[in-house]
């Protein structure tokens, strides 16, 4: 027969539970209301910082790619020879102009955009344009004189003398073999592309714009910059000057008669300022939305607590006992209902049951994630880990993927038997684990194929050193004191250099592996360079 608790005790329990539940809830709602505006502003600042970072990275990426290509062409003997002998008088049998034009055109096509590449001599006369337009004289351009002084430059915004469009010029001086400036090579970056990118970053409640080193508009998400009249001077705003001096931060400013939150920063490659503006009404919109949600949740939670408290007071012990029975059944893999227990300490039994469940769950998880023969991570687990690490990898801390194949393993396995082959795999796995950091991941994909993932590499010399150690381990592998005559072939790929997603990175490492295989095995391939074990 069910035993009821005394009503007076039930009333005290109801009051007690309501008190200890309601007071923290009220305090939480009050504190949440006090912090909501601050949290909303912080979130909006993070949104602004993210858009600024994307704009900075886009601008840097564009200009760094251009500079890399121009530096390469500036050292090309074909370009130098053309500037020294533009009319072909020294070697009349070679059409210097056509050869150089073809070189510039093929190089420019790599970018896949509509921007122009130009070679100019020391008289400021353009000699070759990849867009086919009439060459002009750029004697009045500052970037020309920078080049004549031997300096690379990224120009301010200028109007193209040939097309009339806003451009920014990336130039690299060309030196003769004796160190004299003999001309320059430049690439014009059409700023309409930057305008399109800025527009893609903006939202209904967010404006993004870019300003040159003097504080004048280059691109604006809401007002396309197409003419000089569109290039408004915003240098009177304090946040613009702060950004142009290299400061990164936030500011509350009146813009278009409305208080707005401004996030600002500077692109170091160009000296341009990137600004994101979000109106105060957008912040309050987030506050109102959060307040309504918090209030609704608070009321619902208070009602739920009231109902739950009533039943808890009447059946305070039954849930604990029932939970204890269920958890013991699960831990013992027993489907029968236990009607009574032999101990008076249900809480202690519940803790024991939880520990049993946790131990069982851990054992099952480990079994599902590891290769049963070698106790290394299996293929599915390694793939998940690789995809996860690729989401956070950056150029400052690259990640390397090794694919390792044991040479001559099949012969050993076929001639000596599968047990002998298993011993080779187990011994190699044991040695392999001893080579790497606790933060590295080592797995077996099946057969004699192993994979190693090296995240957060501080020094890229670490990669060939580890590859050489693996080759040494394979070469010296012994079973029962006898050499196995096993070697290893290793393909290496580096993120983000060889791939930004798992499939591309793995395919790059796999191709490197087979390059080693084709060239004789017992080596590793990194950056398309194969190194064989001595």
């Amino acid at each position: 027969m069910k035993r009821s608790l005394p009503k007076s005790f039930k009333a005290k329990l109801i009051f007690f539970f309501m008190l200890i539940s309601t007071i923290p809830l009220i305090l939480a709602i009050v504190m949440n209301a006090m912090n909501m505006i601050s949290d909303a502003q912080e979130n909006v600042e993070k949104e602004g910082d993210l858009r600024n970072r994307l704009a900075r990275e886009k601008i840097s990426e564009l200009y760094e790619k251009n500079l890399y290509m121009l530096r390469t062409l500036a050292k090309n003997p074909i370009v130098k020879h053309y500037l020294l002998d533009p009319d072909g008088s020294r070697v009349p049998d070679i059409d210097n102009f056509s050869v150089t034009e073809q070189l510039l055109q093929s190089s420019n096509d790599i970018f896949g955009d509509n921007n122009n590449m130009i070679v100019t001599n020391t008289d400021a006369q353009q000699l070759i344009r990849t867009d086919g337009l009439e060459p002009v004289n750029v004697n009045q351009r500052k970037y020309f004189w920078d080049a004549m002084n031997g300096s690379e430059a990224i120009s301010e915004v200028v109007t193209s003398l040939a097309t009339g469009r806003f451009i920014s010029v990336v130039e690299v001086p060309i030196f003769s073999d004796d160190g004299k400036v003999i001309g320059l090579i430049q690439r014009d970056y059409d700023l309409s592309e930057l305008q399109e990118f800025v527009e893609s970053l903006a939202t209904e409640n967010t404006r993004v714009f870019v300003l040159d080193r003097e504080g004048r508009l280059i691109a604006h998400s809401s007002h396309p910059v197409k003419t000089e009249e569109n290039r408004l001077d915003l240098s009177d705003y304090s946040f613009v000057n702060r950004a142009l001096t290299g400061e990164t931060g936030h500011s509350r400013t009146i813009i278009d008669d409305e208080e707005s939150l401004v996030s600002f920063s500077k692109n170091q490659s160009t000296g341009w300022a990137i600004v994101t503006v979000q109106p105060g009404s957008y912040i309050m919109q987030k506050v109102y939305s959060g307040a309504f949600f918090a209030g609704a949740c608070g009321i619902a939670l208070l009602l739920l607590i009231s109902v739950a408290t009533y039943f808890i007071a009447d059946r305070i012990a039954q849930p604990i006992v029932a939970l204890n029975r269920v958890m013991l059944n699960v831990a013992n893999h027993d489907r029968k209902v236990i009607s009574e227990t032999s101990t008076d300490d249900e809480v202690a039994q519940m803790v024991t049951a939880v520990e049993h469940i946790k131990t069982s769950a851990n054992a099952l998880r480990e079994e599902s994630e590891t290769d049963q023969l070698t106790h290394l991570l299996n293929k599915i687990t390694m793939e998940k880990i690789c995809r996860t690490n690729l989401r956070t990898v950056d150029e400052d801390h690259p990640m390397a993927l090794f694919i390792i194949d044991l040479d001559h393993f099949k012969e050993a396995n076929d001639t000596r038997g599968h047990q002998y082959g298993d011993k080779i795999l187990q011994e190699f796995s044991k040695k392999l684990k001893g080579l790497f950091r606790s933060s590295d991941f080592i797995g077996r994909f099946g057969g004699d194929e192993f994979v190693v993932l090296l995240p957060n590499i501080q020094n890229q010399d670490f990669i060939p050193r580890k590859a050489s150690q693996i080759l040494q381990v394979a070469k010296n592998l012994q079973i029962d004191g006898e050499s196995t005559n096993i070697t290893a072939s290793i393909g290496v790929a580096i993120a983000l250099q060889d791939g930004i997603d798992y499939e591309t990175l793995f395919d790059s490492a796999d191709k490197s592996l087979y390059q080693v295989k084709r060239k004789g095995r017992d080596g590793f391939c990194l950056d398309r360079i194969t190194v064989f074990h001595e």
Side-chain angles (χ1 to χ4, degrees):
M1 183 176 178
K2 178 182 174 182
R3 182 181 178 183
S4 300
L5 294 169
K7 290 184 178 180
S8 59
F9 183 58
K10 183 193 296 185
K12 292 177 181 178
L13 279 176
I14 292 173
F15 177 77
F16 175 72
F17 281 119
M18 287 294 294
L19 186 65
I20 64 173
S21 302
T22 304
I23 292 177
L25 178 62
I26 293 174
L27 290 174
I29 292 174
V30 172
M31 291 180 65
N32 185 62
M34 294 174 61
N35 294 327
M36 200 165 291
I37 294 179
S38 175
D39 291 342
Q41 178 170 323
E42 183 179 348
N43 290 333
V44 170
E45 288 176 353
K46 289 179 179 179
E47 290 179 18
D49 290 342
L50 175 60
R51 287 181 171 81
N52 281 12
R53 181 172 64 83
L54 291 173
R56 288 198 310 273
E57 290 176 355
K58 178 68 174 179
I59 293 170
S60 294
E61 177 188 6
L62 289 169
Y63 281 97
E64 286 169 7
K65 285 181 178 179
N66 279 279
L67 278 173
Y68 179 81
M69 177 64 78
L70 294 176
R71 288 167 181 161
T72 302
L73 290 171
K75 297 176 182 178
N76 192 295
I78 294 175
V79 179
K80 290 184 178 182
H81 182 73
Y82 172 68
L83 284 170
L84 292 171
D85 186 22
D87 55 3
S89 58
R90 298 183 184 178
V91 186
D93 295 335
I94 299 177
D95 187 350
N96 288 342
F97 178 85
S98 297
V99 172
T100 307
E101 183 182 38
Q102 184 177 1
L103 172 65
L104 263 64
Q105 190 66 60
S106 61
S107 300
N108 198 54
D109 289 345
I110 294 174
F111 291 92
D113 56 28
N114 296 320
N115 293 317
N116 182 37
M117 191 177 291
I118 304 170
V119 170
T120 303
N121 64 19
T122 53
D123 294 326
Q125 180 61 45
Q126 296 177 349
L127 300 179
I128 299 177
R129 296 179 59 99
T130 57
D131 59 6
L133 296 179
E134 187 70 25
V136 297
N137 191 284
V138 292
N139 184 62
Q140 302 301 317
R141 297 299 197 194
K142 180 180 179 300
Y143 67 80
F144 168 75
W145 294 108
D146 288 336
M148 293 302 99
N149 290 325
S151 300
E152 296 178 352
I154 298 173
S155 78
E156 279 290 4
V157 177
V158 297
T159 302
S160 171
L161 297 174
T163 66
R165 304 182 71 170
F166 288 136
I167 61 171
S168 178
V169 176
V170 186
E171 66 80 6
V172 173
I174 302 172
F175 296 92
S176 63
D177 292 339
D178 58 1
K180 294 181 180 179
V181 177
I182 57 175
L184 68 92
I185 185 167
Q186 72 184 61
R187 198 161 190 272
D188 299 344
Y189 178 62
D190 190 335
L191 293 175
S192 61
E193 295 184 27
L194 180 61
Q195 173 67 36
E196 292 175 1
F197 180 75
V198 166
E199 290 175 1
S200 72
L201 285 180
T203 67
E204 181 182 355
N205 297 302
T206 304
R207 289 171 289 170
V208 181
F209 50 91
V210 181
L211 304 105
D212 65 17
R213 300 164 196 158
E214 297 177 353
R216 298 184 66 199
L217 279 176
I218 297 174
H220 195 297
S221 60
S222 301
H223 307 290
V225 180
K226 296 182 178 180
T227 65
E228 280 295 333
E229 289 74 20
N230 299 144
R231 298 197 61 217
L232 301 179
D233 186 349
L234 303 183
S235 59
D236 288 340
Y237 286 102
S238 62
F239 64 83
V240 172
N241 293 306
R242 291 167 65 186
L244 292 175
T245 58
E247 186 178 344
T248 297
H250 310 91
S251 174
R252 282 189 171 273
T253 307
I254 302 297
I255 298 179
D256 296 335
D257 299 324
E258 182 179 9
E259 185 179 39
S260 302
L261 180 65
V262 176
S263 301
F264 56 86
S265 60
K266 179 181 179 180
N267 176 266
Q268 297 301 328
S269 298
T270 59
W272 297 347
I274 296 96
V275 179
T276 299
V277 178
Q278 299 175 90
S281 57
Y282 177 54
I283 300 174
M284 295 310 299
Q285 202 174 49
K286 288 179 171 287
V287 173
Y288 296 146
S289 176
F292 176 79
F293 179 76
C297 289
I299 293 172
L301 187 58
L302 189 58
L303 290 173
L304 183 63
I305 289 172
S306 301
V307 174
T309 299
Y310 178 82
F311 288 101
I312 290 173
D314 187 49
R315 303 183 63 180
I316 189 71
Q318 283 76 10
I320 296 178
V321 176
L323 180 61
N324 178 61
R325 289 199 301 266
V326 172
M327 295 180 76
L328 282 173
N329 285 343
V330 173
N332 295 324
H333 306 286
D334 188 357
R335 294 179 177 271
K336 296 186 296 182
V337 176
I338 301 176
S339 58
E340 59 182 12
T341 179
S342 59
T343 178
D344 295 327
D345 189 359
E346 287 88 356
V347 175
Q349 289 188 13
M350 187 164 59
V351 172
T352 302
V354 170
E355 290 299 325
H356 288 168
I357 293 172
K358 186 163 73 171
T359 301
S360 299
N362 287 341
L364 287 172
R365 184 173 66 252
E366 183 177 351
E367 184 177 345
S368 69
E369 292 180 347
T370 57
D371 173 64
Q372 298 304 301
L373 177 64
T374 62
H375 301 294
L376 300 178
L377 298 174
N378 60 28
K379 182 177 180 178
I380 294 175
T381 305
M382 283 294 292
E383 182 176 334
K384 289 180 180 178
I385 291 172
C386 188
R387 291 184 189 278
T388 300
N389 278 271
L390 278 169
R391 295 190 193 106
T392 57
V393 71
D394 58 46
E395 293 179 354
D396 294 331
H397 302 94
M399 180 178 78
L401 180 70
F402 288 22
I403 300 180
I404 307 164
D405 199 295
L406 295 182
D407 306 324
H408 315 299
F409 172 79
K410 186 177 185 303
E411 295 92 321
N413 194 52
D414 291 343
T415 57
R416 300 291 295 271
H418 293 301
Q419 290 185 349
Y420 181 79
D422 289 349
K423 287 183 179 181
I424 291 176
L425 296 175
Q426 291 169 335
E427 184 65 14
F428 180 73
S429 300
K430 178 181 176 182
K431 300 289 187 183
L432 194 60
K433 285 194 287 187
L435 294 179
F436 293 95
R437 309 167 297 182
S438 60
S439 59
D440 300 328
F441 302 93
I442 308 170
R444 177 180 174 229
F445 272 29
D448 60 339
E449 188 177 62
F450 296 80
V451 172
V452 179
L453 182 66
L454 308 177
N456 195 26
I457 298 173
Q458 303 294 328
N459 186 341
Q460 290 209 18
D461 292 340
F462 180 77
I463 298 173
R465 186 168 69 249
K466 285 299 172 186
S468 298
Q469 291 174 356
I470 295 171
L471 297 178
Q472 188 69 33
V473 163
K475 190 88 170 181
N476 297 335
L477 197 65
Q478 293 185 343
I479 302 297
D480 299 328
E482 178 184 357
S483 174
T484 61
N485 296 320
I486 293 291
T487 59
S489 296
I490 306 169
V492 184
I494 301 175
L496 306 163
Q497 173 183 309
D498 298 318
I500 61 174
D501 58 68
Y502 171 77
E503 286 75 16
T504 306
L505 191 65
F506 187 91
D507 183 63
S508 179
D510 197 45
K511 288 178 180 176
S512 295
L513 169 65
Y514 280 96
Q515 182 172 324
V516 179
K517 289 282 190 181
R518 287 194 302 270
K519 293 187 177 181
R521 307 180 180 180
D522 192 19
F524 66 89
C525 180
L526 171 64
D527 288 337
R528 300 182 182 178
I529 299 174
T530 305
V531 179
F532 293 100
H533 183 244
E534 298 180 355

